[in-house]
Amino acid sequence: MSVQRSAAIAESHRRKAIAIEEKGRRSDLFGVNVFNEKRMLQYLTKDALASVRDAIFSGSKIDRKIADQVAEAMKGWAISMGATHYTHWFQPLTGATAEKHDAFFDLLPDGTALEKFGGGQLVQQEPDASSFPSGGIRNTFEARGYTAWDPTSPAFIYGTTLCIPTIFVSYTGEALDNKAPLLRALHAVDEAATAVAKYFDKNVAKVNATLGWEQEYFLIDKALAHSRPDIIMTGRTLVGNNAAKGQQLDDHYFGVIPSRVLSFMSDLEKECTKLGIPVKTRHNEVAPNQFELAPVFEEANLAVDHNLLLMDVMDKIADKHQFKVLFHEKPFSDINGSGKHNNWSLATDTGVNLLSPGSTPMKNLQFLTFFINTIKAVNTYEELLRSSIASASNDHRLGANEAPPTIFSIFIGKQLSSVLDELEGVSQGKLSPEEKTELKLNVVGKIPEILLDNTDRNRTSPFAFTGNKFEMRGVGAKTNCAKPMTILNTIVAKQLKDFKKEVDVLIDKKNLKKDEAIFNTLREYIKTSKRIRFDGDGYSKEWENEAKKRKLSNNKNTPDALNILTSKESLALFKTMKVMSDVEVGARVEVELEAYILHLQIEGRVLSDLVYSSVIPAAIAYQNKLITNVSGLKEIYGAAHKSFSVGQLTMIEEIGEHLNELKKLTDAMTEARKKANVIKESKKRAVAYCGNVKPYFDKIRLHSDKLEKLIEDQLWPLTKYRELLFIK
């Protein structure tokens, strides 16, 4: 056994759970490090508070004088909390967050020291944008980029730094981040959904998209993780034979949480609570060492910020508890990977969830309106929605048994399917009094009791209705939720705008009553979006064939999935909804392709290094040991030694065969990588990596894993699955 592997195992066995002090109620801690409504009431003038509230509610601008007041209040509060620095906290196209810390400290011309932070520093900063991905929007030598305050997401103190959530744009105004397009999409769905909601309640002035994410992750002992170069460099194991016991007994899911993990979770929840992240649920997931954390639902922009902040906090708290958090979608072979289910809905400022049935037929018609329009939106733009969850790491997970397939479909359950089937038979044009009564009492009126009894769950559905929300299950564990949420809210906004136009035409030009116009329009949507509805097994070959007949896309890898983003229809959608310009969309595709290439390039290099520096030397050492053994037997027994060394000779040959194949495949993979690297066009280079480089990974792994089974445990240098996956 290698010194590092042996030392890591011994160190992991010595770990003890850290005692976490739990005092008082969690509600008393909630948001203590956040400049939220409660703090604003304490620190802001009435005018400043009204201006910030108006900016949050309607997106109005905050003038410079008010910004100065808000900045002064933030500074006073932050310093009282022990903060020494401030930063504009933003989301560049790397998928993570970025920050540059500046001290409140400054000097006057006469040398007098003071704490300084004004409206200018709050509202806008100019970080060097030269090293962030831009997809060709700006040249490397053009370093100018701007961060601008997002008042809809409250500032918070993390450590000793006041963090101000911001958007990130280029000198010419194009978005260089994931937040700006998300905010535009949320504004679009607010406008479109509010206009439709007014059919049912004239008092609705605003509709918020809500999001509840479910963060899955693996926890590995830090020493064990650091003994594996592939985990540290790529976030996943590139080689490794399966442990005899994995998840087959289903004994980890919802099982007793290990004491070290529970201590980590308690510490994490405490820190999250202070930061205003409303964490609520924690449990063991299906795979060993896999866990999940989920919060209360929030407004989508804030929920996205909180998820990104959570992942950063998790890394820091894990380090304190001698763990390494793995967010990779498939860190281990042949056990479940990790996702981040996005539970999405729409809520009015009057407190109504638009995807939740009500107590009257009219409220249920409102539910059906938003329910069916969402189905229609996904039906129209299913391929675009698939593109929003594409990445090199998520490609390993999608289509595997524990994750949704790459074909997008919607699960709504048998009962709601029956409701839609009945609505499909609504008469065209004006409805008779008898038909209206039948619809309101026996179809629409029964929806609450249908949903109450509807306990169907379909874990293979990529987009499932689960009672009062839609659950998008294909999102990867390390994905920034802003990407799928931008697409989803954009397509729903477009669909709701189209719906309102059609209904208004029927009311104004066909003289239909409002409910008749709505029923007529919904009837047509039900008919035209039938292809997207599927309640069966998403992994079956029958479904794959059926989906092909229905002309549903089946993009199994990232380069193929990203194609749709730059289609005429997609560009027109983003432009019409004022979410992204053609330049911004093109830049994002370029960034995603480059990220895909680099991830596979790094994995290829690490895999090659592991093969030559760890696997092959161990195989040769054990082969030599066997040869020495056979030679010794021959010396003692002469020709008779063969009867004692059949097993050894067979193993020597097997090791030799795997060594030859391993070297041949690794060298071929390296050559394929070199050929791909000289391709200039990023799309073609990504396709080359996908088709010519990546296929070698599993082939190389197969021979490495066979050697791991053959070679003496003491000689194997890499920490094994059985050691990585079971926290003591």
Side-chain angles (χ1 to χ4, degrees), residues 462-476:
F463 201 84
F465 185 71
T466 54
N468 58 2
K469 63 190 183 300
F470 280 99
E471 185 175 11
M472 188 171 172
R473 294 178 176 147
V475 184

Side-chain angles (χ1 to χ4, degrees), residues 293-338:
L293 178 150
V296 176
F297 285 37
E298 298 180 282
E299 185 275 324
N301 176 46
L302 183 58
V304 168
D305 282 0
H306 278 165
N307 181 250
L308 289 168
L309 178 57
L310 169 93
M311 289 194 285
D312 186 47
V313 175
M314 286 177 77
D315 277 333
K316 289 182 169 61
I317 300 294
D319 190 65
K320 173 182 170 183
H321 289 258
Q322 303 301 315
F323 282 126
K324 172 75 176 171
V325 181
L326 302 184
F327 292 114
H328 194 286
E329 284 80 0
K330 196 72 174 177
F332 299 98
S333 176
D334 291 322
I335 59 173
N336 281 12
S338 297

Side-chain angles (χ1 to χ4, degrees), residues 393-406:
S393 52
N394 210 23
D395 280 359
H396 293 287
R397 172 178 166 264
L398 293 176
N401 286 337
E402 80 279 2
T406 50

